Amino acid sequence: MTKLNTLLSIDREDISYTDYVALKDISLSIKEGEKVAIIGQSGAGKTTLLRRLFHLNPEQCAFVHQHHVLVPQVTTFHNIYMGRLERNSVFSNLRNLVKPSASVIEEIRPIVSKLGLADKLFNRVGELSGGQQQRVGIGRAIYQGGAVVLADEPVSSLDVIQQEEIMGHLVSAGRTVVSALHSVSLSRRFFDRIIGLKNQVVLFDLPSSSVDDHLLSELYG
């Protein structure tokens, strides 16, 4: 049996947001290939935990922000291309800003096609709807690559049908994915492991098949 590498690990750590201790005595690890959902009520510390995981190894993590964090004045192409800015030379980045190269366009085109944005590749992001902007943020993380994709409510601006489709693309594109979600159904369907946060601690950390209605009632009750 192949032993999976541990990519991110926290050991009995208090995690703060500004000056507030949001999570206490947290211990968990993320192994290569895992699909992990983090659930809990609003304010439970899901985003804080994701940010802490990101800062453990930012070079190997791609982050999908809940509020997009895009540049509205430039196109879908350019916002997705920004996922690899640090990998390219200044000259290459400037050239693609002014006149995108055919090879880079062909790298990005399949990503936007899967996300339903093929006809928006050269539209300014500021002209897109909130749901479309959220998909651009997902596209940027997919294009960036890295060992781990961390996603903060990545499909919250989409309708139910789009949520299922786009979540499927995100989970399949990332070798290892950790996502904060409000949707229990998405957590159960797309993730192998679910972490429940409540009252500043990890209430449970279990395979998704073991998270039953009793546990969910305790988490959200």
Side-chain angles (χ1 to χ4, degrees):
M1 184 175 179
T2 303
K3 184 177 180 180
L4 298 177
N5 294 326
T6 297
L7 301 178
L8 303 169
S9 182
I10 298 172
D11 183 28
R12 304 197 66 178
E13 186 173 325
D14 292 345
I15 304 173
S16 298
Y17 176 69
T18 61
D19 295 329
Y20 171 70
V21 178
L23 296 166
K24 296 180 178 179
D25 198 28
I26 301 299
S27 295
L28 62 87
S29 61
I30 306 297
K31 290 184 168 55
E32 183 181 3
E34 284 194 299
K35 313 294 193 210
V36 184
I38 303 171
I39 63 174
Q41 294 182 349
S42 296
K46 299 185 295 294
T47 299
T48 300
L49 179 55
L50 278 181
R51 287 174 176 161
R52 179 65 186 116
L53 291 172
F54 175 80
H55 287 296
L56 291 172
N57 194 352
E59 293 81 11
Q60 290 297 313
C61 295
F63 203 105
V64 181
H65 296 267
Q66 182 176 0
H67 301 295
H68 318 323
V69 194
L70 304 172
V71 181
Q73 297 85 359
V74 300
T75 67
T76 296
F77 168 87
H78 289 100
N79 273 277
I80 291 176
Y81 176 79
M82 287 176 189
R84 295 189 184 177
L85 278 180
E86 295 183 358
R87 300 188 194 180
N88 302 314
S89 67
V90 173
F91 173 77
S92 178
N93 288 334
L94 289 174
R95 182 186 63 190
N96 278 289
L97 176 63
V98 176
K99 183 176 174 55
S101 71
S103 61
V104 177
I105 292 172
E106 290 310 307
E107 289 176 353
I108 290 176
R109 195 182 299 280
I111 296 172
V112 295
S113 294
K114 287 183 178 180
L115 296 174
L117 296 169
D119 61 339
K120 306 294 183 183
L121 184 57
F122 291 107
N123 286 52
R124 291 185 180 181
V125 163
E127 300 170 354
L128 305 183
S129 69
Q132 289 170 332
Q133 290 184 18
Q134 193 160 38
R135 281 179 273 164
V136 173
I138 291 170
R140 181 176 58 191
I142 291 172
Y143 185 64
Q144 180 180 341
V148 186
V149 174
L150 302 172
D152 189 9
E153 299 291 347
V155 295
S156 59
S157 297
L158 307 179
D159 63 38
V160 174
I161 295 175
Q162 289 179 326
Q163 284 182 356
E164 296 270 339
E165 182 180 358
I166 301 305
M167 183 60 74
H169 289 317
L170 177 61
V171 170
S172 63
R175 167 77 174 136
T176 306
V177 180
V178 184
S179 181
L181 291 169
H182 279 302
S183 171
V184 172
S185 62
L186 289 177
S187 302
R188 283 172 155 171
R189 177 168 179 179
F190 291 102
F191 295 84
D192 307 316
R193 173 182 166 197
I194 300 177
I195 297 172
L197 300 180
K198 184 175 184 179
N199 296 333
Q200 300 178 293
V201 300
V202 173
L203 181 64
F204 59 79
D205 181 352
L206 294 167
S208 56
S209 59
S210 299
V211 178
D212 58 20
D213 291 342
H214 174 75
L215 279 173
L216 292 173
S217 177
E218 186 177 355
L219 181 67
Y220 291 105

